[in-house]
Amino acid sequence: MRCLFFRMACPWGSNCFTTAHRRAGVLGLMLGLVLIPANAESISGTVEFAEIHRLNVGVSGEVASVSVREGDQVLAGTLLMALGDTVYKAEVEAETAQMAWREALRQEALRSWERDNVLFEEGSLSAVELDLSRIARLRVEADYQHSVARHAASLSRLNRSRIVAPEAGIVLEQNVNPGERINIEIYTGPAMVFASSNLVVRARITNGAANLPLPGQPIQLDFADKSIMGSLQSVVPGVNGDDTVVTVTTADTLPPPGSSVQLHF
């Protein structure tokens, strides 16, 4: 079996098999015409979401808020849910203060090192004393870098206590509610299932049953009483008998997910 993914993008144009047909297709695109050869392949496909994300928090805690419901459409970056973050915010504040202190010590150690170099050049400081000053500066630098890493880790924990929309799309499932406790050691989730707002048409073809279109070729899509044009975005060959995946984009509106679409190329 080979499978086709179609993501729609072009409102006109068509797919051709021969060189002459391809040239005619290019001319048709330039003139805004639709040219479908009489011997065009035809296969059935189904409209699906382009991407489906299974979302979980990355730390344990009690669910403090759920900002969306199933079916809500949101923009990228929208907060979907959050755990209680008092502890995580306190960690960030503490590590921020610690990092600022370490930075001050780092700057002072650098100034001391520079002064000691001047004294050494003047003959007022021995080589051993200068080396001890260098070691002290390196120790302070190491402490500062460790503080930077701890601060980054605390920010990461705070961010992982929340789920935000990875892109514009729709909430398909909401599996947690405020007050519930999530233990990431045993929780399998997902807390949320989220789908991209972009739609694709997926079709499956038996190996050798049809000629596969090439990326960039126009595809005609028919559904209900409407016909629109799309452009083949990619072809991912199947392995070990799996379907080949082809994606088509369109500037036109596709029917809802689950709808059947006839593809001609």
Side-chain angles (χ1 to χ4, degrees):
M1 299 290 295
R2 293 185 297 194
C3 159
L4 306 177
F5 261 127
F6 296 89
R7 197 187 240 173
M8 312 303 302
C10 177
W12 29 257
S14 175
N15 208 20
C16 306
F17 296 117
T18 66
T19 299
H21 280 146
R22 289 195 181 97
R23 289 173 179 169
V26 171
L27 179 59
L29 289 174
M30 294 172 62
L31 298 177
L33 302 176
V34 176
L35 302 176
I36 299 294
N39 61 340
E41 296 282 356
S42 180
I43 53 175
S44 296
T46 303
V47 178
E48 299 182 5
F49 293 107
E51 298 286 345
I52 293 181
H53 307 272
R54 296 167 62 85
L55 305 176
N56 280 316
V57 290
V59 293
S60 299
E62 183 177 300
V63 179
S65 65
V66 178
S67 307
V68 293
R69 295 176 296 180
E70 292 181 2
D72 283 355
Q73 298 185 32
V74 299
L75 300 176
T78 300
L79 178 67
L80 304 181
M81 66 153 288
L83 301 179
D85 57 9
T86 301
V87 172
Y88 300 119
K89 283 183 176 179
E91 286 182 352
V92 171
E93 291 175 0
E95 294 300 340
T96 299
Q98 182 77 0
M99 186 172 64
W101 176 57
R102 293 292 183 186
E103 170 64 13
L105 294 178
R106 176 175 177 246
Q107 294 300 323
E108 179 56 36
L110 179 60
R111 288 190 292 269
S112 179
W113 163 248
E114 292 172 346
R115 288 194 300 267
D116 288 345
N117 269 279
V118 173
L119 292 174
F120 177 75
E121 293 296 331
E122 293 174 348
S124 302
L125 200 70
S126 68
V128 172
E129 290 172 316
L130 181 64
D131 196 42
L132 290 174
S133 178
R134 180 183 64 83
I135 292 172
R137 180 179 64 83
L138 292 176
R139 182 174 62 249
V140 171
E141 177 66 26
D143 289 342
Y144 170 73
Q145 294 300 334
H146 181 65
S147 180
V148 170
R150 288 176 58 88
H151 180 261
S154 68
L155 278 175
S156 175
R157 286 190 290 271
L158 176 60
N159 291 333
R160 287 183 289 133
S161 72
R162 307 161 179 167
I163 295 179
V164 300
E167 58 180 317
I170 183 172
V171 178
L172 297 183
E173 294 182 18
Q174 173 208 324
N175 299 319
V176 294
N177 293 294
E180 295 181 13
R181 180 162 185 83
I182 294 178
N183 184 344
I184 60 170
E185 299 297 327
I186 58 176
Y187 182 73
T188 58
M192 296 263 183
V193 177
F194 186 84
S196 164
S197 57
N198 295 324
L199 299 178
V200 297
V201 177
R202 177 180 292 167
R204 292 186 178 356
I205 328 175
T206 303
N207 281 332
N211 295 316
L212 289 177
L214 298 175
Q217 288 186 338
I219 307 291
Q220 179 177 315
L221 294 100
D222 296 339
F223 53 91
D225 296 326
K226 189 174 182 180
S227 180
I228 61 176
M229 296 306 300
S231 176
L232 183 62
Q233 186 181 61
S234 65
V235 178
V236 181
V239 294
N240 299 325
D242 291 339
D243 294 335
T244 295
V245 178
V246 181
T247 304
V248 173
T249 59
T250 186
D252 289 304
T253 302
L254 283 169
S259 302
S260 296
V261 175
Q262 199 69 20
L263 311 171
H264 306 282
F265 56 92

